[in-house]
């Protein structure tokens, strides 16, 4: 895969200096190298040496700061802020997406509105009809920001659920999402077990990287295990007791790319 495969297809919005252009090329090359190495090794193991994507919600982090920190892209929200909150990075906007693309950064879409104990309930509890509504919202915000027409959106199961809850609650939500987006454009964020269940039940699509599906696994609730079919592994989860690295003045979560195709917009126009 060429180096440019990790760069989004958005127009440039400002001139880029020669120094920055060299940094951008290096970031793209690093990502491509990981994909090739992972394919050769067939290894799902996350590593600090893997190209990394960050996720954050409080505000937009300038592309220059993301590059300076050595990250290759972002996983950004295609959902709005919960009642009572105002998160500047939710949802991703077209101007911000264009600035990331101009810097050669990869963009992946994620939907999360509710949260356990938050001012809105966890999205996966909203049933089939809720899945339909959430998928429509996600797709509208994704496309408004310039997201690829065949790119996946990862929907969050941000809780430690058991199999009964998956079968009787979360699975119905995903079926509703599938009815709008289709299976191939649906992904999951969650611990290792929901990622496995979503694959087994056929509600998430497949990456172009052989053996991988649209599973963005978090280390939370995963018992130190990594799902071999995942495309992303959230290795750093920023909390008050264990803050993540600071990028552009904001603490962020960090995910390792486990495949060449992690759902970045430009590979799925």
């Amino acid at each position: 895969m060429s180096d440019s495969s990790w760069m989004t297809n958005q127009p440039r919005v400002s001139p880029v200096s020669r120094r920055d252009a060299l940094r951008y090329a290096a970031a793209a090359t690093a990502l491509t190298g990981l994909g090739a190495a992972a394919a050769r090794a067939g290894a799902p193991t996350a590593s600090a040496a893997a190209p990394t994507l960050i996720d954050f919600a409080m505000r937009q982090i300038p592309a220059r700061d993301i590059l300076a920190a050595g990250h290759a892209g972002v996983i950004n929200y295609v959902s709005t802020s919960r009642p009572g909150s105002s998160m500047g990075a939710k949802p991703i906007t077209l101007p911000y997406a264009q600035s990331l693309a101009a810097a050669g950064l990869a963009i992946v879409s994620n939907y999360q509105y509710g949260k356990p104990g938050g001012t809105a309930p966890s999205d996966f509890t909203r049933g089939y009809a809720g899945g339909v509504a959430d998928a429509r919202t996600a797709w509208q915000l994704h496309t408004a920001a310039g997201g690829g027409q065949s790119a996946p959106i990862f929907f969050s199961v941000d809780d430690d659920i058991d199999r009964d809850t998956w079968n009787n609650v979360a699975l119905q939500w995903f079926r509703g999402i599938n009815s709008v987006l289709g299976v191939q454009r649906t992904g999951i964020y969650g611990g290792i077990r929901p990622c496995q269940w979503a694959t087994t039940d056929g509600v998430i699509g497949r990456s172009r990287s052989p053996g991988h599906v649209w599973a963005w696994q978090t280390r939370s609730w995963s018992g130190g295990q990594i799902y071999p079919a995942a495309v992303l592994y959230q290795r750093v989860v920023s909390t008050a007791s264990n803050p993540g690295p600071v990028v552009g003045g904001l603490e962020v979560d960090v995910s390792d790319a486990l495949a060449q195709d992690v759902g970045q917009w430009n590979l799925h126009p």
Side-chain angles (χ1 to χ4, degrees):
M1 186 177 294
S2 66
D3 293 351
S4 62
S5 67
W6 278 90
M7 299 173 66
T8 49
N9 292 332
Q10 299 299 327
R12 293 183 180 272
V13 293
S14 60
V16 178
S17 69
R18 182 175 182 277
R19 180 181 177 183
D20 284 342
L22 291 172
R23 285 216 316 264
Y24 304 159
T29 299
L31 279 164
T32 302
L34 168 77
R40 286 194 302 268
T45 305
S47 165
T52 51
L53 287 76
I54 59 174
D55 65 277
F56 46 90
M58 295 308 298
R59 60 176 173 80
Q60 296 174 344
I61 299 176
R64 189 180 300 267
D65 293 336
I66 297 171
L67 281 170
H71 301 293
V74 304
I75 306 163
N76 222 156
Y77 290 97
V78 288
S79 52
T80 57
S81 298
R82 291 182 291 278
S85 64
S86 181
M87 298 180 181
K90 298 180 72 171
I92 187 171
T93 62
L94 179 59
Y96 185 53
Q98 289 174 329
S99 74
L100 295 172
L105 291 165
I107 305 173
V108 176
S109 292
N110 170 245
Y111 181 91
Q112 183 176 359
Y113 178 70
K115 182 179 181 179
T119 55
S122 296
D123 302 326
F124 71 85
T125 65
R126 289 169 31 80
Y128 186 95
V132 170
D134 291 343
R136 287 174 176 167
T137 297
W139 190 246
Q140 188 276 321
L141 295 172
H142 170 89
T143 54
Q149 291 295 303
S150 62
I153 298 174
F154 292 82
F155 290 82
S156 301
V157 178
D158 196 12
D159 205 350
D160 186 16
I161 65 172
D162 59 22
R163 188 59 189 260
D164 285 344
T165 301
W166 169 262
N167 288 341
N168 299 313
V169 182
L171 181 57
Q172 309 314 311
W173 181 60
F174 274 97
R175 298 285 190 210
I177 293 166
N178 290 166
S179 74
V180 175
L181 299 183
V183 170
Q184 184 54 30
R185 291 187 297 185
T186 303
I188 186 172
Y189 165 88
I192 187 169
R193 295 185 301 169
C195 290
Q196 292 170 325
W197 298 333
T199 305
T200 299
D201 289 331
V203 292
I204 58 174
R206 294 191 171 276
S207 164
R208 293 178 182 176
S209 296
H212 292 273
V213 296
W214 299 138
W216 173 20
Q217 182 194 345
T218 176
R219 66 178 297 172
S220 302
W221 319 301
S222 291
Q225 298 180 313
I226 299 177
Y227 181 36
V231 290
L232 290 161
Y233 178 70
Q234 192 181 55
R235 174 169 47 86
V236 177
V237 182
S238 183
T239 63
S241 60
N242 187 31
V246 175
V247 178
L250 188 68
E251 292 173 6
V252 301
D253 299 333
V254 181
S255 294
D256 294 317
L258 304 182
Q260 234 178 328
D261 177 10
V262 299
Q264 60 268 43
W265 291 0
N266 72 294
L267 286 188
H268 304 276

